[in-house]
Amino acid sequence: MLEEVAIRSVQTGLFIGGKWRDSARTMPVHDPSTGQILCTVADADAAEAREALDAAVAAQPSWAATTPRERSTILMNAHRLLLDNTDRLALVMTLEMGKPLTEARGEIAYAAEFFRWFAEEAVRIDGGYMTAPGGGSRFVVTRQPVGPSLLITPWNFPMAMGTRKIGPAIAAGCTSVIKPAAQTPLSILALADILTEAGLPDGVVNVVTTSRPDEVISPLILDGRARKLSFTGSTAVGKHLLELCARTVMRTSMELGGNAPFLVFDDANLDDAVDGAMAAKMRNIGQACTAANRILVHSSVAEEFTRKLTQRMEALPVGRGTEDGVVVGPLIDEAAVAKVSTLVADAVGRGASVLTGGEPLDRPGNFYPATVLTGVPDDAEMCHNEIFGPVAAISTFDTEAEAIERANDTPYGLVAYVYTENLKRGLRVSEALETGMVGLNQGVVSNPAAPFGGVKESGLGREGGLTGIDEFLETKYIGVAM
């Protein structure tokens, strides 16, 4: 059976110093569409994680000394291998995470593009040379690798979030220890073999899987030898990690929670806006930090927009991600279903109306249907917390100023979406929104060539784009007497 072959193709141990090894403990990986165990993988403890850091530290000097072209070639090799193995890797991802195969294949292509982008950036790391303003000396500015890095990835985009961190680390000359989410470790474990085949030297990337992340990662942060932490996950966990990183003044980049507003103005092309809302809301079954969390529609077009969106949402097929035509797969676990159910019940209790969906499906697996709520009040819990599920929460506004004020009324600031045919309004509103990214008349903003990240409690730093590699580089100034 293809599913069994795909799962068996993935190594399930710890990847340390270029070698696969067993751990004293294991943890199960579940299929969220059935609840059944797919396999078990190594469940590392703090001592095993420290060995992974030892390997990264030992490999750092030689890896930093490699030429940019060597690092670029390895990344291009990995880019090709990811694409060559798309079907197998996509199936592994669908089985462990639940997203439909079509989306999983798209994620493999997206993940591979990070390797290609940073392969190209590896050979463009630059510096500077200038005469001191007062004369008498010269300033030489160089860029050097930060050093051994800790990379922590989430469960919702298990391959793409890995390559988005590993790519710039490799390109900059940094070794790393990567800890994937316990729910979806298989994609990163498969990636380790891809990188080995691509020619990556032993110890440059090490993979530690564990069900006890704080127990395992905290000692590595406090160890002092790791000099960089890149984390994607919840704001609460990010704050905890920042507190730990402060003790050793560790370089950090954080991509944290979101509460994305989706603004539809009265002059918007409503068909385009509905298309954008479907993309922004339903990517990855709504389990994305960039998902449209609050859909704010001008009152004059709200009825038509809501009718069109509801028609699209209620027609989405629900099922196991491996089934043909499925668009809405399972949520990641039972806790996710419970959270979405609680948020919907809270909104309805505060006056919202359910137009479609609104209840968990009575079937095996963690399924929740595409749901549309209208009249969602600003005091509803889902207006202040990420829904992380296939629920479109619609409310109305009357003026541009009101739309901006409500959109910004959140401690988060990752992304916002704006639909208007008025260019001046589009730019004016985009500039006024307190977010790191804005989709102006588009429902997807993620692109390896663009700087991804947020402001306020949505994070620090940027991943991707021209600035993505800077997160893994230190600037050194050398003063030369003349």
Side-chain angles (χ1 to χ4, degrees), residues 2-54:
L2 283 177
E3 294 180 11
E4 294 177 356
V5 171
I7 295 298
R8 287 200 303 269
S9 73
V10 181
Q11 300 272 6
T12 57
L14 304 174
F15 187 64
I16 299 176
K19 304 294 187 295
W20 291 100
R21 48 176 287 184
D22 294 331
S23 176
R25 292 175 48 168
T26 61
M27 62 182 186
V29 181
H30 292 90
D31 180 343
S33 69
T34 64
Q36 296 178 351
I37 295 175
L38 293 168
C39 64
T40 60
V41 301
D43 189 1
D45 59 21
E48 290 167 323
R50 193 178 297 276
E51 291 179 37
L53 180 58
D54 291 343

Side-chain angles (χ1 to χ4, degrees), residues 237-481:
V237 174
K239 288 179 178 180
H240 169 65
L241 294 174
L242 283 170
E243 290 176 354
L244 293 176
C245 290
R247 301 188 196 179
T248 58
V249 196
M250 181 183 287
R251 181 91 167 263
T252 61
S253 53
M254 298 271 167
E255 196 261 285
L256 308 177
N259 187 9
F262 189 99
L263 308 182
V264 182
F265 286 92
D266 54 346
D267 61 352
N269 181 312
L270 291 189
D271 289 333
D272 288 349
V274 170
D275 287 343
M278 292 296 295
K281 178 72 264 181
M282 294 305 296
R283 185 185 184 197
N284 205 37
I285 324 162
Q287 299 174 118
C289 55
T290 55
N293 212 56
R294 298 167 292 149
I295 301 177
L296 308 177
V297 187
H298 193 275
S299 56
S300 67
V301 297
E303 182 177 353
E304 183 180 358
F305 174 88
T306 300
R307 175 177 54 80
K308 291 184 174 184
L309 182 65
T310 302
Q311 288 174 348
R312 294 277 296 276
M313 291 283 278
E314 63 187 3
L316 296 178
V318 179
R320 196 162 184 254
T322 54
E323 298 170 6
D324 290 341
V326 163
V327 176
V328 183
L331 299 185
I332 189 63
D333 53 29
E334 292 179 356
V337 176
K339 176 186 176 181
V340 172
S341 299
T342 298
L343 290 174
V344 169
D346 171 79
V348 171
R350 296 174 188 271
S353 299
V354 179
L355 300 186
T356 187
E359 294 284 347
L361 296 182
D362 184 15
R363 58 177 290 176
N366 308 315
F367 290 95
Y368 200 97
T371 296
V372 177
L373 303 181
T374 189
V376 178
D378 286 349
D379 63 351
E381 285 296 316
M382 66 173 54
C383 292
H384 304 279
N385 297 287
E386 282 186 291
I387 301 169
F388 243 61
V391 178
I394 301 174
S395 58
T396 62
F397 67 88
D398 291 312
T399 67
E400 180 180 311
E402 177 194 354
I404 294 170
E405 180 180 6
R406 289 171 62 191
N408 288 339
D409 187 19
T410 173
Y412 301 101
L414 184 61
V415 63
Y417 304 92
V418 178
Y419 274 78
T420 175
E421 292 295 281
N422 185 313
L423 178 60
K424 290 182 179 179
R425 168 182 278 167
L427 293 175
R428 185 169 63 242
V429 172
S430 295
E431 291 179 359
L433 291 170
E434 297 170 352
T435 58
M437 301 174 288
V438 177
L440 180 54
N441 293 324
Q442 65 178 50
V444 176
V445 296
S446 302
N447 190 299
F452 187 102
V455 299
K456 300 196 288 189
E457 292 190 15
S458 285
L460 301 167
R462 295 294 182 269
E463 294 184 313
L466 297 175
T467 59
I469 199 170
D470 291 341
E471 300 288 345
F472 292 88
L473 292 168
E474 295 285 11
T475 298
K476 176 178 284 188
Y477 146 63
I478 302 170
V480 182

Side-chain angles (χ1 to χ4, degrees), residues 65-331:
T66 58
T67 66
R69 182 61 67 194
E70 289 176 87
R71 302 196 293 268
S72 176
T73 298
I74 290 171
L75 285 171
M76 285 303 298
N77 290 342
H79 167 266
R80 173 182 52 80
L81 288 167
L82 278 174
L83 296 181
D84 289 347
N85 287 273
T86 292
D87 288 343
R88 175 178 67 87
L89 296 173
L91 181 55
V92 168
M93 186 189 305
T94 291
L95 293 174
E96 69 172 341
M97 189 265 146
K99 69 180 61 180
L101 269 173
T102 299
E103 278 202 56
R105 293 188 186 101
E107 182 174 336
I108 299 302
Y110 176 49
E113 196 63 23
F114 280 109
F115 279 168
R116 180 161 69 166
W117 174 261
F118 285 110
E120 295 164 341
E121 289 302 291
V123 296
R124 292 176 175 82
I125 299 171
D126 59 7
Y129 178 91
M130 66 176 286
T131 301
S137 67
R138 301 291 183 268
F139 299 162
V140 178
V141 178
T142 65
R143 312 295 299 284
Q144 295 181 326
V146 169
S149 302
L150 306 178
L151 314 177
I152 303 176
T153 58
W155 53 261
N156 55 345
F157 293 94
M159 185 67 81
M161 297 305 95
T163 61
R164 192 159 78 179
K165 297 179 187 299
I166 293 171
I170 289 174
C174 297
T175 60
S176 63
V177 176
I178 182 165
K179 187 207 76 64
Q183 298 97 322
T184 57
L186 300 180
S187 292
I188 291 296
L189 292 171
L191 183 59
D193 269 340
I194 292 284
L195 288 168
T196 298
E197 187 176 351
L200 194 70
D202 293 349
V204 175
V205 171
N206 305 274
V207 182
V208 174
T209 53
T210 183
S211 64
R212 299 158 287 173
D214 194 43
E215 175 185 326
V216 166
I217 293 298
S218 294
L220 300 189
I221 293 174
L222 298 175
D223 179 279
R225 293 178 295 166
R227 297 310 311 149
K228 163 76 181 180
L229 171 68
S230 177
F231 170 76
T232 298
S234 72
T235 296
V237 174
K239 288 179 178 180
H240 169 65
L241 294 174
L242 283 170
E243 290 176 354
L244 293 176
C245 290
R247 301 188 196 179
T248 58
V249 196
M250 181 183 287
R251 181 91 167 263
T252 61
S253 53
M254 298 271 167
E255 196 261 285
L256 308 177
N259 187 9
F262 189 99
L263 308 182
V264 182
F265 286 92
D266 54 346
D267 61 352
N269 181 312
L270 291 189
D271 289 333
D272 288 349
V274 170
D275 287 343
M278 292 296 295
K281 178 72 264 181
M282 294 305 296
R283 185 185 184 197
N284 205 37
I285 324 162
Q287 299 174 118
C289 55
T290 55
N293 212 56
R294 298 167 292 149
I295 301 177
L296 308 177
V297 187
H298 193 275
S299 56
S300 67
V301 297
E303 182 177 353
E304 183 180 358
F305 174 88
T306 300
R307 175 177 54 80
K308 291 184 174 184
L309 182 65
T310 302
Q311 288 174 348
R312 294 277 296 276
M313 291 283 278
E314 63 187 3
L316 296 178
V318 179
R320 196 162 184 254
T322 54
E323 298 170 6
D324 290 341
V326 163
V327 176
V328 183
L331 299 185

